[in-house]
Each structure stands twice: as structure tokens, then as C-alpha cells.
Amino acid sequence: MIDHQRVDMIRFTNLPDFQNRPVFERMTLQWFAAEDEGRTEEPTEQKIRKAREDGKVAKSQDVSSTIVLLGSIAVLAFFGRGMFNTMQDMVKYYLGFVANPPVEGSGVLFRAFFSFFLRLTLPVAITAFVMAILGNLIQVGFLFTTKPLKPDFKKIAPNFPKYFKRTLLSTEALFNLSKSIVKVVIVVSISFFNVFIRLEEITGLVRRPFMEGVFLVADIAFLIILEAAIVMLIFSLIDYWFQRKQHRESLKMTKQEVKEERKNFEGDPQVKARLKERMREILQSNMMRKVPEADVVVTNPTHFAVALEYQKESMNAPMVTAKGQDHIAQRMKAIAAEHQVPVMENKPLARALYADVEIGDQIPAQHYQAVAELLKMVYRMNNQKEAG
């Protein structure tokens, strides 16, 4: 099949002035093609599971960082006033030592600093830690593996052409660049909007007390951070969708890899064939033991043979105890003759029983009449032998 897209690309790149054109005019979709050529098959469940065990999962750092930011903002909203009072107490405490400093070596200042530091940072640190774990659990679930921590010497000397192609000329690079530009534009716009609508209050701070200025600036900064975090959350969801798509693409397999994995998972076809042959031999061996116990062997006469057994006390209908084709059929006939089991020729019945009934099953109703006639003949022959 002709790849018309590739033909058109080759025709376009072979134009006389193509190499002299600007870079953006020489850019083609092939620049953003998959890194691994020939990987067209969807990854199997085994490939996905192995990648997860190796720590290769679809995860967006933006989701985790945004959740951490929102959690920290929530802590500031609930405990901000108390934290501000703690900072005031800390300033007053240390300024109180200006006129009367503590005894050197007593450790009072250090213990006080440690106490104030924990009261200010501990709520935010604990919340950020919990939110970081929650962000990862939401994306990948519970996963603990140490494989990503193992040293990989391939990363010391990476494939630079492939690295630069991925970081500069891939779909991921284009997406990340576009995402960063849009983020900057939105954050700047949010900041400008919040400052602009309260510009009159900001310019009037020169005539107001210092603490009013602090509270106003803190209020504006808090709104900017909150609105930016909400926007970043939306972008992080888009980034998470993109990362899942890229992760799925990176796990795609070649047709040969799919064959090899299926062979490893299901077993080598040659080994399976040998096992199947061995099972057939065991089944035939057990089947041949049933021939001497049969009431009659129906043949066609050369290609098929079916052994039938009927016991009134335990069976509702005659049962197929053995069947075979070609050389197996000949062996069944020989065993039947050796043990004086009647061998009756009935081509349509032999073919029908061989095709429709499995070993160990009773014959279906449509064959009752034909088998009954056959068994009558067998019983009549046996009675004549006994009478003679």
C-alpha cells in the first residue's frame, strides 16, 4: 500500500528551493512523528503491568504541584491570622532582648527561634506533604517500587540526537512550550486585573497606617495566588490527559514484540504442539482400553470407527466410548476383532457419530433409530452364537 502522505512529503522536500526556505516553512509533520518507528500496536496488559512495576506510569507534575498549592492556600486562609499574630509575637520577643540581652550560651534565643519556626511552618509543611501524596495517589494509585532508584549507566551518556529531538522537535516539547507561554500570560493577566481594580486603594496607602497597607497587599496577593491556582488546576488536568496519551504512545509495540510476548505468555507453539500430541497419545491409549468393553464398533468401513456401549441400568442412551479416524480406526477394528466385539459397517451412521458426538457422551435423539436397529442385529447375532 502506498503511503501518499510520505510521497507528498518527499515530493515537497525535493523542491529546488526547499533547503533555502526558513525553518518554519521547512517544518513537516514528520518532525513530530513517534520516536520509535514501527510501534503501531496497542500495548498489551502484560506490557502495561510490567511498565507499572518498573515505575513507568502516566503522571503530571502539574497536578501534584497544583494540589500542594491549593492545600497551602487553604492553610493560609484558615490559619493566616494566627500565623500573623505569631510573627508579631516573635518580633516583640526578640526586640525585648535589645536592652537586656540573655546570658551567652543559655540557648534561650535558639529555643525561642525553633519554637516560633515550628508554629509558623509546621501547618504548611504537613499539609504540603499530605497533598503531595494525595496528588500521586489520585493519578497512579498506590505504587511502591525501588526500580527507578537503581543506577542506569545509559543516562550518563544519553543519545543526544534523540534527546534533542524529544526536547525541541517533538509533540511533547511543542505542548510544554505552548503550556508555559499560556500560563505566563494568564498569571500576568490575573495579577494585572487584581492590581488594576484596586489601584486607587494602593495609591492611597501613603496616607494610611502601615498595618492597613500590609493587610491590603496580603489580600491582593492571596487573591492572585488563589485565582492562579484554580487556573493551574485546569491546565494540570489537560496536562494529565496529555501525559496519559504520551505514556500510552510510549508503550506501543511492534508486531514482532507482540508475537514474542504472546509466545512467552502462552508458551512456545512447538512446545504446545508437542504437549497436545502427547495428550492425544494419552487419550488414544485410554480410549483403546474401552474398545474391548464396547457392544459394537461402527465403521464406514476404512476411514472412521466409533465404539458404542449401552447398559440399561445406568445409561439413558448408548454412549460413545471411543472413536478414531484412518490408522486409529484400523487399530480399533483390530482390537475389536481380537476381543470378539462385533464390527458393523454403516457409513452414514459412522460419519454422523464421529462428527456429532464426543467421547463419553450419549448419542443424540436423531440417531436413536439407527443405533437401535444396529444393536438389535448385534444382540440377535450374540443370541445365535450362544444358541449354537
Side-chain angles (χ1 to χ4, degrees):
M1 183 179 296
I2 299 175
D3 190 345
H4 295 284
Q5 182 180 2
R6 184 172 181 84
V7 171
D8 293 340
M9 185 199 72
I10 296 173
R11 187 183 301 127
F12 175 72
T13 54
N14 286 334
L15 292 176
D17 62 338
F18 175 75
Q19 297 298 333
N20 297 326
R21 294 185 179 186
V23 174
F24 65 88
E25 292 187 11
R26 288 187 280 121
M27 185 180 298
T28 67
L29 291 179
Q30 292 296 322
W31 285 28
F32 305 104
E35 292 181 2
D36 298 323
E37 297 295 336
R39 299 183 181 272
T40 57
E41 305 301 312
E42 290 296 324
T44 60
E45 292 298 325
Q46 186 177 358
K47 177 72 176 288
I48 296 173
R49 184 171 60 254
K50 187 177 184 303
R52 180 177 175 83
E53 292 173 355
D54 292 340
K56 298 177 182 178
V57 291
K59 185 175 68 173
S60 170
Q61 296 296 335
D62 290 354
V63 172
S64 300
S65 58
T66 304
I67 292 177
V68 170
L69 180 60
L70 287 172
S72 302
I73 292 173
V75 171
L76 293 177
F78 284 103
F79 303 103
R81 177 67 66 174
M83 295 172 69
F84 183 76
N85 293 334
T86 301
M87 287 189 288
Q88 284 184 314
D89 295 340
M90 182 177 65
V91 173
K92 292 178 183 179
Y93 180 81
Y94 281 107
L95 289 179
F97 288 109
V98 174
N100 187 20
V103 179
E104 185 177 356
S106 62
V108 175
L109 295 179
F110 176 77
R111 288 194 298 271
F113 169 79
F114 193 70
S115 174
F116 284 122
F117 178 78
L118 290 180
R119 289 162 60 186
L120 289 172
T121 60
L122 202 58
V124 178
I126 293 176
T127 303
F129 179 76
V130 173
M131 289 295 119
I133 296 176
L134 180 62
N136 284 278
L137 288 177
I138 291 174
Q139 296 183 80
V140 302
F142 182 78
L143 175 64
F144 179 79
T145 177
T146 59
K147 289 186 178 180
L149 301 178
K150 293 181 179 179
D152 187 359
F153 295 100
K154 294 180 181 179
K155 296 181 179 180
I156 298 177
N159 188 338
F160 287 103
K162 184 177 180 180
Y163 172 78
F164 284 115
K165 180 182 177 182
R166 179 180 178 183
T167 54
L168 299 177
L169 304 176
S170 64
T171 308
E172 183 178 1
L174 181 62
F175 176 80
N176 290 332
L177 177 62
S178 304
K179 180 181 66 175
S180 300
I181 294 174
V182 173
K183 280 183 180 180
V184 171
V185 171
I186 290 178
V187 171
V188 170
S189 302
I190 291 174
S191 304
F192 176 80
F193 178 75
N194 280 276
V195 172
F196 181 77
I197 62 176
R198 305 186 72 172
L199 187 60
E200 185 176 350
E201 296 180 57
I202 295 173
T203 55
L205 289 178
V206 294
R207 297 183 297 273
R208 296 192 178 186
F210 173 75
M211 292 308 299
E212 286 190 22
V214 172
F215 287 130
L216 177 62
V217 172
D219 185 38
I220 296 174
F222 182 81
L223 287 176
I224 291 174
I225 295 173
L226 178 60
E227 294 171 4
I230 294 173
V231 174
M232 292 302 106
L233 179 62
I234 298 173
F235 273 91
S236 66
L237 296 178
I238 298 174
D239 183 67
Y240 177 64
W241 169 82
F242 179 79
Q243 295 300 333
R244 284 180 63 89
K245 186 173 180 297
Q246 289 292 100
H247 177 68
R248 192 81 178 183
E249 289 290 329
S250 68
L251 293 180
K252 279 190 173 182
M253 309 166 67
T254 62
K255 293 182 179 180
Q256 183 62 30
E257 288 176 338
V258 173
K259 291 180 181 178
E260 291 293 332
E261 185 169 295
R262 185 177 294 116
K263 181 189 296 184
N264 295 332
F265 183 72
E266 298 179 356
D268 194 322
Q270 295 181 353
V271 176
K272 290 179 65 178
R274 177 57 185 158
L275 290 175
K276 187 179 294 184
E277 183 181 353
R278 180 57 182 163
M279 290 297 294
R280 191 183 301 113
E281 292 174 357
I282 295 173
L283 181 61
Q284 291 176 3
S285 176
N286 294 333
M287 184 178 65
M288 293 304 174
R289 296 196 188 106
K290 295 289 184 179
V291 175
E293 302 174 4
D295 293 315
V296 63
V297 174
V298 188
T299 65
N300 79 327
T302 56
H303 295 294
F304 298 100
V306 179
L308 297 174
E309 180 182 1
Y310 180 56
Q311 298 178 5
K312 294 181 181 180
E313 297 80 7
S314 59
M315 298 180 186
N316 297 324
M319 177 188 296
V320 174
T321 58
K323 66 178 183 177
Q325 186 178 4
D326 297 333
H327 70 280
I328 298 177
Q330 300 302 322
R331 284 185 59 194
M332 290 176 60
K333 290 169 59 178
I335 295 174
E338 182 181 350
H339 292 83
Q340 298 181 353
V341 176
V343 178
M344 308 294 290
E345 180 180 336
N346 190 325
K347 295 182 180 179
L349 182 60
R351 287 180 175 272
L353 292 177
Y354 183 86
D356 298 340
V357 188
E358 296 297 329
I359 298 174
D361 293 345
Q362 295 181 359
I363 64 172
Q366 63 265 28
H367 300 308
Y368 281 178
Q369 185 65 33
V371 173
E373 295 293 334
L374 190 67
L375 289 176
K376 282 182 182 179
M377 295 175 59
V378 172
Y379 295 154
R380 189 179 301 116
M381 292 170 55
N382 292 336
N383 290 334
Q384 289 175 358
K385 288 182 180 180
E386 292 177 359

